[in-house]
Amino acid sequence: MITAPMDLAVHAERAVVDGRDTPATVTVHAGVITAVEPYGTPVAAAEVVHLGPDVVLLPGLVDTHVHVNEPGHADWEGFASATLAAAAGGVTTLVDMPVDSVPATVDVPALQAKRAAAHGRCHIDVAFWAGVTPANTAELAALHAAGVTGFKCFLADAGAPDLPPLSPAELVTAMRALRDLDATLLVHAESDAELAAGPAPRGRSYAAFLGSRPPRVEDTAVAAVLDAARQTGARAHIVHLSSAGALPHIAAARRDGVRVTAETCPHYLTLTAEQIPDGATEFACCPPIRDSANRDLLWAALADGTIDMIVSDHSPCAAELKHRDTGDFGAAWGGISSLQLALPAVWTHARTRGHTLAQIAHWMSEQPARLAGLTGKGRIAPGYDADLCAFAPEETWTVDPGHLHHRQPLTPYAGHRLHGVVRRTWTRGHGVDPARPAGRLLTRTAKHPEPAP
């Protein structure tokens, strides 16, 4: 029996610990996991929770690709709504993207404005990426010293005038600066030149929209990132990888010692171009959702470690910017709203492919935490923050957008039947109380080790 008084003890018939689904008793004091004991170990604790065989105790998810949009676009999303939605989806830590807020997070005053907007409003822990532009190289060291988890850039125009894209030469310059800081550069890898050479998206046809962003748009940009990382020795991370055509090049670069990681997103793993009706602009995102054969290759790349992690790329907007009235993909905002839905959406498809909840925890918790240098996150282990998720993997439910916590409910998952219900979420050993935001604003706690294979 553990005799020292604990704040929380969770007796779980199933828990994901060290990559295994195993019975365990997890004890918590002062927000930190103190021990992982054999299941049923007697514990004196202020709160004792018993989870049956239908529930699995997971480490809280870490979502490193979330567009909260506040300050500046709090009608699209905001820290209060985003973090409540995240908690409902089993996410206990998110990292906010520097774009789609006003100002973009490209200098320390903008970071301070972002932190001020988030202060006292977060239901889970929140950290921040910063942006790289052609003009802010001199700001990078100060942002790094201020504790951002890393940096993000675009290689194509994202419609954000305060975060313009980098040219190939500017990408190399940025990587050299970030190599000297031992910081990671996240790259939206779509080629401006390839986009300019192709047809502009317009009209209701999803096939035409897909044709405006063919795989070579991503593949060319990924090749440029790999070349810059090889030249500089910097650490690069490919965000929201959609094109399976880039996978052999990423794998080859790694074999050559290039420091590169990659993520994909739930919508690329669960949705396919074949199922998207014309005019259904809730599916619009950049890069786009591709065909089922491409989806199969992304799953295979997760299994073999070429893709390191799954994160949401939650990117909502005001409802009118999706242009559902006209269904014009050329005019619609490119972004998927999925923060609350990522875990059950991914699990619904992973389970049919023979993947386990231990793999899900690796891809959606441990690896993103490592990418962001958040050393106390992502595992159920002594010394880690007691960020936990009680997940019922066999329970099914139908997505009703009206019941989601996202500020903007429009989602391509509406009406989908999903496996997996988040029964309860704990952040640092405490249940999430919608009336009392208790999340912390985080700074980077470690250098950025490459995610483990």
Side-chain angles (χ1 to χ4, degrees):
M1 176 175 180
I2 297 175
T3 56
M6 294 289 118
D7 300 324
L8 172 68
V10 182
H11 300 286
E13 295 190 34
R14 298 178 62 190
V16 172
V17 179
D18 294 334
R20 296 180 298 117
D21 187 331
T22 183
T25 289
V26 179
T27 63
V28 176
H29 179 67
V32 175
I33 296 171
T34 57
V36 180
E37 300 286 349
Y39 174 72
T41 298
V43 181
E47 181 183 8
V48 178
V49 176
H50 294 268
L51 301 180
D54 61 327
V55 176
V56 180
L57 187 67
L58 299 175
L61 303 191
V62 178
D63 193 336
T64 53
H65 197 146
V66 180
H67 295 261
V68 177
N69 305 331
E70 192 176 16
H73 291 299
D75 57 325
W76 298 11
E77 191 65 277
F79 286 102
S81 55
T83 57
L84 192 59
V91 177
T92 52
T93 304
L94 67 80
V95 188
D96 174 61
M97 281 291 169
V99 71
D100 301 330
S101 56
V102 182
T105 315
V106 295
D107 54 30
V108 171
L111 175 63
Q112 292 170 337
K114 182 76 66 97
R115 291 176 66 89
H119 181 72
R121 306 188 68 233
C122 297
H123 297 278
I124 64 169
D125 290 351
V126 173
F128 304 92
W129 302 111
V132 178
T133 76
N136 82 330
T137 304
E139 306 289 341
L140 303 184
L143 282 161
H144 187 258
V148 298
T149 53
F151 296 84
K152 162 78 177 291
C153 74
F154 292 86
L155 300 186
D157 184 3
D162 48 1
L163 206 63
L166 303 184
S167 70
E170 290 163 344
L171 176 64
V172 171
T173 298
M175 282 199 179
R176 286 196 177 115
L178 296 179
R179 174 201 60 201
D180 294 341
L181 297 172
D182 196 26
T184 302
L185 181 61
L186 283 65
V187 186
H188 179 131
E190 289 188 291
S191 165
D192 218 19
E194 290 288 349
L195 285 170
R202 60 172 59 89
R204 294 174 53 85
S205 167
Y206 185 75
F209 175 69
L210 190 58
S212 73
R213 290 182 121 86
R216 68 174 178 274
V217 171
E218 278 189 271
D219 299 347
T220 300
V222 168
V225 175
L226 298 176
D227 183 58
R230 185 177 282 108
Q231 286 185 52
T232 63
R235 183 180 295 109
H237 177 74
I238 308 298
V239 300
H240 51 48
L241 183 68
S242 155
S243 170
L247 294 169
H249 305 291
I250 294 171
R254 281 190 179 161
R255 289 193 295 270
D256 292 342
V258 176
R259 301 162 82 193
V260 61
T261 52
E263 69 187 37
T264 194
C265 304
H267 38 284
Y268 303 131
L269 296 169
T270 65
L271 306 173
T272 65
E274 294 94 329
Q275 73 187 91
I276 299 176
D278 288 346
T281 53
E282 63 269 30
F283 290 85
C285 59
C286 300
I289 296 163
R290 305 192 189 277
D291 62 29
S292 58
N294 184 87
R295 179 179 67 174
D296 291 343
L297 292 171
L298 295 179
W299 276 109
L302 276 164
D304 69 23
T306 304
I307 296 176
D308 302 275
M309 65 197 72
I310 306 169
V311 292
S312 71
D313 189 15
H314 177 70
S315 184
C317 65
E320 62 270 17
L321 295 180
K322 276 294 189 180
H323 292 280
R324 288 291 287 119
D325 54 340
T326 65
D328 185 349
F329 278 97
W333 175 266
I336 301 291
S337 182
S338 62
L339 180 57
Q340 186 172 337
L341 301 171
L343 174 57
V346 170
W347 173 240
T348 297
H349 290 259
R351 63 193 294 278
T352 67
R353 294 171 180 268
H355 297 302
T356 66
L357 283 170
Q359 289 176 292
I360 296 294
H362 180 70
W363 294 328
M364 301 185 76
S365 191
E366 184 174 7
Q367 295 285 66
R370 289 175 61 88
L371 173 73
L374 300 174
T375 56
K377 305 292 187 183
R379 294 178 60 203
I380 298 177
Y384 279 69
D385 287 351
D387 297 341
L388 305 167
C389 167
F391 185 63
E394 299 307 317
E395 190 172 343
T396 61
W397 60 291
T398 300
V399 177
D400 178 351
H403 292 163
L404 300 177
H405 294 287
H406 306 150
R407 180 153 295 167
Q408 296 292 338
L410 185 66
T411 174
Y413 293 101
H416 282 221
R417 190 78 174 165
L418 300 181
H419 273 80
V421 170
V422 174
R423 294 272 184 86
R424 189 170 179 183
T425 303
W426 293 266
T427 59
R428 286 169 285 107
H430 297 283
V432 174
D433 181 351
R436 301 183 65 182
R440 298 177 301 179
L441 304 185
L442 305 177
T443 56
R444 184 188 65 260
T445 55
K447 294 181 179 180
H448 298 244
E450 287 85 350

